[in-house]
């Protein structure tokens, strides 16, 4: 896999813990990555879970993505019991020469929905945030919109917007983003706050960006609800409190589902420290871990084929 086609300053893969360790974005898979993945999946036989496909940009390498989907699909006959299948993407590969092949692969895989990142409804503003590399076609607004509509025809589409200064930060911008998202074919829009970090993170450029550019979800949501021009016709659907996140789900009068979501990494670390397993992460280096830190809470190391305990 290559470095991501975008270079978002807030990319959580570049966060580093003060107690050391590699950042996930720097891990590169060994040649036998898919053998290791198959092995890890067979060890999860009967475990109920959902596929959550993220990490760098899977669609940047079409052959890699096709092989990943084939490996996961093959495991479903004698591996984990899969509820939802979700891919997180910036859309780059779907706008490339293999876009159609990838779209068809999403359908035959039975993707439940796609989470497509775009952090502003104007191309230039989005590019200032996502900083796609020069040759990446999806940076262009018209290309993105066309690609999003093609994807929406293939699979349920959620547009994901990370709130931030210089991006979506005000109620009027929320309203403009929502009407643009509908035109792109999205059935759902997710507004996410920057994750709240605890003191266990190193003060690197990513952590500083999160601090400086943060937009408070609570304040923005309250401002939207107070502004009839923005929230007229919204109906509240549900409020979910997860183990380290909460989200409020509502519906606009023209049928768009809107989710406001916030996550607290401090709460997540507290839960993970209990030793209970809340999530399974298969890293590019072939380790299956119970959290987002490479080399920590290793459950299975497919490089050595030995099971490990908590460290
Ligand atoms: S698109 Fe996602 S993986 Fe790529 S740099 Fe942005 S946040 Fe990171």
């Amino acid at each position: 896999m290559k470095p991501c086609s975008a270079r978002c300053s807030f990319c959580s893969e570049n966060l580093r813990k003060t107690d050391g360790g590699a950042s996930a974005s720097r891990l590169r898979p060994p040649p036998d990555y898919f053998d290791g993945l198959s092995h890890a999946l067979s060890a999860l036989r009967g475990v109920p879970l959902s596929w959550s496909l993220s990490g760098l940009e899977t669609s940047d390498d079409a052959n890699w993505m096709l092989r990943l989907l084939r490996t996961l699909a093959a495991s479903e006959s004698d591996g984990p019991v899969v509820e939802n299948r979700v891919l997180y993407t910036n859309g780059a590969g779907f706008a490339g020469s293999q876009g159609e092949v990838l779209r068809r692969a999403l359908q035959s895989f039975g993707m439940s929905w796609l989470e497509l990142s775009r952090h502003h409804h104007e191309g230039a503003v989005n590019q200032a945030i996502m900083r796609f590399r020069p040759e990446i076609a999806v940076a262009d607004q018209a290309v993105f919109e066309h690609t999003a509509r093609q994807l929406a025809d293939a699979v349920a589409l959620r547009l994901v917007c990370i709130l931030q200064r210089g991006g979506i930060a005000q109620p009027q911008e929320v309203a403009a983003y929502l009407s643009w998202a509908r035109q792109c074919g999205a059935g759902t829009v997710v507004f996410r706050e920057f994750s709240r970090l605890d003191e266990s993170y190193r003060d690197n450029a990513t952590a500083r960006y999160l601090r400086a550019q943060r937009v408070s979800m609570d304040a923005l949501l309250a401002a939207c609800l107070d502004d009839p021009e923005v929230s007229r016709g919204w109906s509240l659907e549900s409020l979910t409190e997860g183990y380290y996140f909460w989200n409020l789900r509502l519906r606009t009068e023209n049928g768009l589902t809107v989710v406001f979501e916030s996550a607290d990494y401090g709460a997540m670390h507290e839960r993970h420290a209990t030793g209970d397993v809340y999530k399974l992460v298969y890293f590019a280096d072939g380790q299956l871990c119970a959290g987002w830190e490479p080399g920590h809470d290793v459950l299975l190391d497919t490089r050595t084929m030995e099971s490990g305990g908590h460290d």
Side-chain angles (χ1 to χ4, degrees), residues 19-39:
D19 56 7
S23 66
S25 64
R26 292 191 182 275
L27 300 178
R28 291 292 178 273
D32 60 352
Y33 173 84
F34 287 102
D35 293 338
L37 177 58
S38 297
H39 179 81

Side-chain angles (χ1 to χ4, degrees), residues 4-8 10-13 55-57 90 117 130:
C4 183
S5 43
R7 291 164 293 174
C8 307
F10 53 83
C11 182
S12 60
E13 299 206 29
L56 299 179
E57 174 50 45
N90 64 30
S117 297
M130 295 186 78

